[in-house]
Amino acid sequence: MVAELRSRGIKIGSTTGYLAEMMQINQADAKRQGYEPDATVCAGDVPAARPYPYMCLQNVISSASPRCRPA
């Protein structure tokens, strides 16, 4: 599924309630298994986590194409 999305130019983002330090371990393990999202946002990376939309918004900002980013 991920490969199909990437072949269509769709980027993959991840949100989690884990601390960034915990996610480093999880991300390393996921990468060994072939999964590496374009952006990962932890609850501590944004002003408020779930149920607020800030983590999803940060994923969009972090994975946006340079031509889509504001000057």
Side-chain angles (χ1 to χ4, degrees):
M1 174 62 79
V2 172
E4 175 63 25
L5 292 171
R6 288 189 191 279
S7 75
R8 296 178 183 204
I10 297 171
K11 296 195 176 188
I12 307 297
S14 174
T15 64
T16 181
Y18 287 141
L19 299 172
E21 295 81 11
M22 294 167 66
M23 274 310 293
Q24 289 175 350
I25 296 167
N26 290 346
Q27 286 176 304
D29 187 46
K31 186 175 181 177
R32 281 191 294 275
Q33 295 179 51
Y35 176 69
E36 187 173 18
D38 297 293
T40 299
V41 180
C42 298
D45 297 335
V46 293
R50 295 180 188 124
Y52 299 97
Y54 300 117
M55 290 194 294
C56 293
L57 177 59
Q58 187 58 53
N59 257 315
V60 171
I61 292 167
S62 296
S63 60
S65 165
R67 68 174 190 241
C68 295
R69 292 186 183 171

